[in-house]
Amino acid sequence: MTAAVATRKDVPEIVNAIGNVQSIDSVSVLPRVTGAIEKIEFSPGQDVKQGQELFLIDPRPYQAALDQAQGQLAHDEGLLAEARMDLTRYQTLQQQKSIAGQTAQDQVFVVQQDEGTVKLDQANVETAQLNLDFCHITAPIAGHAGVLQVDLGNLVGPAGGQASGTTGSTSGTTAATTSSSAASTGALVSITQLQPIYVTFTVSQTALNQIAQNQAKSPLEVDAFSQAGKLLEKGKLTVINNQVSATTGTVMLQATFANSNNLLWPGEYVSVRLTVATRSNVVTVPASAVMVGPNGDYVYVIGAGNK
């Protein structure tokens, strides 16, 4: 036993746990059209921005399909313009009783047919343009790029897609000279968001009420430590799960960290310290002065005459 001076200070009430780091968002980048990888415009392990171009699939077949669709649209728009002009002329002649009414009515149907054809052509142009755009594969989120799963020149394609030599095919895939069944249909690369990031951990249900009550007043502080005890990042409690596990009697919590230095990595385990509350102006003594007995911890108070 060691004699020590008792002092008054603010003391935090701490709950310790083991947490697992989880990314807020993680995606696998997949091709949406079939073709050969013509460019890889980033490096594996690089941080990428949302919308940054990552890959270029050979766009030539899709440019040709777009040109073809635009040509067909221009042709059919010409037929529609001619049909409308004929309709105007026939309606004038009908009013003059120079032609049969049936002739003018038939021309109305011709115009409607040509209008439908033009709408179909416009849809084909939009589809061809969309497929051409899909040749430029961009990052859907900002994050850290993983290991490349393809090399320059590899033939890739959408899973379950069917490439054909014409526009307007299903699943948004068009014009390709090779069947997508012969192409790699897996992910090209994965991107994982690191900032901000989650740490998930569990605490006993006995602490749940106090945690929930204090969390309602202000988000509770959570510290993440390495297995060696080094403080990695400070964060805030953001989620209390909506049920207690009947098997373990614990509730899952989730804290959010800015992770500005990327010290927290998805998948790793960290030590978590949750500050549930702070007791103000309480008497404290060093741990070396505390004795352990059968009824719990106790201390001796040294009074007059050192008794």
Side-chain angles (χ1 to χ4, degrees):
M1 179 175 63
T2 302
V5 178
T7 59
R8 286 186 176 275
K9 63 170 66 174
D10 294 343
V11 177
E13 294 185 30
I14 302 295
V15 173
N16 293 304
I18 299 297
N20 181 246
V21 183
Q22 297 177 347
S23 174
I24 292 178
D25 201 358
S26 181
V27 298
S28 295
V29 179
L30 297 166
R32 302 178 73 174
V33 292
T34 299
I37 297 292
E38 194 168 87
K39 291 183 181 179
I40 299 176
E41 305 194 47
F42 72 104
S43 299
Q46 172 187 341
D47 289 334
V48 298
K49 298 178 180 180
Q50 184 177 17
Q52 177 180 335
E53 186 159 324
L54 305 177
F55 302 92
L56 175 64
I57 292 177
D58 184 3
R60 291 173 297 176
Y62 301 97
Q63 182 63 60
L66 175 60
D67 294 342
Q68 179 183 359
Q70 289 173 334
Q72 187 64 47
L73 172 61
H75 175 270
D76 291 337
E77 283 178 336
L79 293 179
L80 175 60
E82 182 181 10
R84 284 173 174 169
M85 183 178 63
D86 288 343
L87 176 61
T88 300
R89 184 170 64 253
Y90 290 164
Q91 288 174 337
T92 300
L93 293 174
Q94 180 187 9
Q95 292 173 357
Q96 296 173 351
K97 299 186 183 302
S98 298
I99 61 171
Q102 183 63 42
T103 301
Q105 185 59 44
D106 288 344
Q107 190 61 28
V108 171
F109 297 140
V110 171
V111 170
Q112 291 177 346
Q113 292 170 8
D114 288 345
E115 287 174 343
T117 301
V118 168
K119 286 184 178 180
L120 178 61
D121 292 340
Q122 290 171 339
N124 285 337
V125 168
E126 291 173 2
T127 299
Q129 181 63 64
L130 190 62
N131 287 327
L132 182 60
D133 293 342
F134 285 159
C135 291
H136 300 268
I137 301 176
T138 59
I141 63 170
H144 194 78
V147 176
L148 270 175
Q149 302 299 318
V150 293
D151 296 318
L152 200 63
N154 284 167
L155 184 64
V156 298
Q162 180 65 40
S164 68
T166 59
T167 61
S169 60
T170 60
S171 303
T173 60
T174 62
T177 57
T178 308
S179 170
S180 61
S181 61
S184 170
T185 58
L188 308 181
V189 71
S190 64
I191 300 175
T192 301
Q193 180 180 333
L194 298 181
Q195 298 175 352
I197 205 165
Y198 290 145
V199 173
T200 301
F201 57 100
T202 58
V203 299
S204 172
Q205 63 181 8
T206 57
L208 177 58
N209 288 338
Q210 186 183 16
I211 291 173
Q213 290 172 4
N214 293 336
Q215 176 74 3
K217 299 174 185 176
S218 178
L220 301 178
E221 292 186 0
V222 182
D223 298 331
F225 295 84
S226 68
Q227 297 300 309
K230 177 185 176 182
L231 176 62
L232 300 175
E233 188 86 14
K234 290 180 173 290
K236 295 288 186 181
L237 181 65
T238 49
V239 177
I240 300 176
N241 200 20
N242 56 9
Q243 61 181 4
V244 174
S245 171
T247 304
T248 62
T250 59
V251 61
M252 181 178 293
L253 307 180
Q254 194 171 73
T256 303
F257 296 81
N259 201 27
S260 55
N261 294 320
N262 288 344
L263 296 179
L264 297 174
W265 213 253
E268 74 172 320
Y269 286 93
V270 294
S271 297
V272 174
R273 186 175 69 184
L274 169 65
T275 302
V276 179
T278 300
R279 305 171 86 180
S280 301
N281 198 31
V282 295
V283 178
T284 65
V285 295
S288 59
V290 179
M291 305 292 291
V292 180
N295 297 321
D297 298 345
Y298 67 95
V299 295
Y300 286 110
V301 178
I302 303 174
N306 288 330
K307 293 182 181 180

